[in-house]
Amino acid sequence: MPASYNCEVLLSDVQCKLGESPFWHNDTLYWVDIHGKELHHYCPKTKKHVQCPTETQLGCIVPCTVPGRLATATDDYFGLVDPTTGQVEKITPNSGEIEAVEESRFNDGKCDPAGRFLAGTMGTAKPRVSGLGRLYSLTCVDGSSSSSSEGKDVEAGVVEAKQFGVTKLLSNLTVSNGLCWNEKGDTLYYIDTYDYKVMQYGYNLGSGEIDVENGKCCVDFTKHDECKGAGPDGMTIDKDGMLWVAMFRGSKVTRWDPQTGELIGIVEVPVPHVTSVCFGDLPITPVEGDSGADAALSTLFITTAKGSHQAEIDANTAPNAGCIFVAKVPTSGFPVDVMKI
């Protein structure tokens, strides 16, 4: 029997059409509303919430070494976004390219422990069309880093002086979604939602290459009644090596042992569309019997969606759909990986 955990609403007055891509950095929670064209960040210490309109749909965001910027994958390109203005500066690769695929956009993404930015694409038409998605890796290849300028103002056009390379890692996907690495960084866990499984790949942290040939399924959602009718979405990993997967249309976050494929935990979320998860810090009621309740990165942040079109919104009767939820769980996560530029 999987362990069961409760959650609570973090910000009841913030409801996203499609909340996604949460991460915790510098005592602040960041996330995007893809279809709402907004970038959010919230600091629990100061209670300050910033809701910033963006000029385009941000599929995902990650921290980077350029002060005052986040890296993003949006529509059909990579860029840097100013989280205070929403302005996006496009990154033009000097090597490699992103395929021009009609009716597709970037979706979920994360940085690997070496500082590369991996992000995948998906078809936007409904019903979903298989084969349109790709998984790409963006690398700053000139060997320089702006981390030495931390704290200084960034001039417009900072990207132009950099050399970037894009590598296509996977093809013929439907909805490229959650991804994360084990603690050593030599294993990549990856979700294509409409495959209804978590794939496990060997990962070369030095080169950024995936061992596709020896990839294997480590979690099969179709074998579990608790997951019927739901699609696996965003994902993170805890310090015990267990995977946490948001279940879209499933009203839950699930915890899995990738070594056995066993479902070992469920966070019940009182809304249907649960989209992604990350670990961070927030002083909320601890789990009973949890001796490490005050451990860093021991709060699970959960993004959700209320719907992108009026018909979906009208049909979604859950009052807190689209809100951020938090859960106290008996484990903790890792600090977010940062893109090196």
Side-chain angles (χ1 to χ4, degrees), residues 279-297:
F279 282 97
D281 291 314
L282 192 69
I284 62 175
T285 304
V287 173
E288 184 178 352
D290 179 14
S291 59
D294 296 324
L297 303 176

Side-chain angles (χ1 to χ4, degrees), residues 116-330:
R116 302 178 189 86
F117 182 12
L118 274 68
T121 61
M122 58 172 280
T124 56
K126 291 185 179 180
R128 301 297 184 200
V129 178
S130 63
L132 300 183
R134 311 284 187 265
L135 179 65
Y136 295 98
S137 175
L138 175 71
T139 309
C140 187
V141 295
D142 66 355
S144 64
S145 172
S146 62
S147 58
S148 60
S149 63
E150 196 75 42
K152 298 180 181 180
D153 291 338
V154 179
E155 296 180 359
V158 66
V159 184
E160 295 177 5
K162 300 291 181 177
Q163 300 285 311
F164 292 92
V166 170
T167 303
K168 183 171 63 178
L169 300 178
L170 295 172
S171 299
N172 298 317
L173 309 170
T174 303
V175 176
S176 184
N177 229 317
L179 66 165
C180 58
W181 288 261
N182 66 345
E183 186 171 10
K184 290 183 178 180
D186 60 4
T187 300
L188 169 67
Y189 298 104
Y190 174 77
I191 291 172
D192 179 357
T193 293
Y194 284 80
D195 276 349
Y196 298 99
K197 62 182 69 169
V198 177
M199 291 297 296
Q200 176 180 322
Y201 297 105
Y203 190 79
N204 188 319
L205 200 55
S207 66
E209 295 176 337
I210 294 176
D211 184 1
V212 178
E213 185 177 343
N214 292 307
K216 64 179 182 179
C217 171
C218 63
V219 174
D220 186 345
F221 297 96
T222 65
K223 293 182 177 179
H224 299 267
D225 290 342
E226 297 91 339
C227 301
K228 284 187 176 178
D233 204 321
M235 173 171 58
T236 192
I237 191 168
D238 63 36
K239 287 193 173 180
D240 299 314
M242 304 296 111
L243 304 176
W244 295 80
V245 180
M247 304 302 295
F248 195 82
R249 299 185 303 273
S251 300
K252 61 177 68 70
V253 174
T254 50
R255 188 188 189 206
W256 304 85
D257 185 337
Q259 303 304 314
T260 65
E262 181 185 2
L263 175 61
I264 58 175
I266 294 176
V267 181
E268 299 289 354
V269 185
V271 301
H273 302 321
V274 184
T275 56
S276 196
V277 289
C278 75
F279 282 97
D281 291 314
L282 192 69
I284 62 175
T285 304
V287 173
E288 184 178 352
D290 179 14
S291 59
D294 296 324
L297 303 176
S298 60
T299 299
L300 196 67
F301 290 91
I302 304 164
T303 54
T304 67
K306 69 176 180 180
S308 303
H309 307 291
Q310 195 58 48
E312 294 176 331
I313 295 171
D314 292 343
N316 194 343
T317 57
N320 292 315
C323 288
I324 299 289
F325 290 82
V326 291
K328 193 67 181 180
V329 293

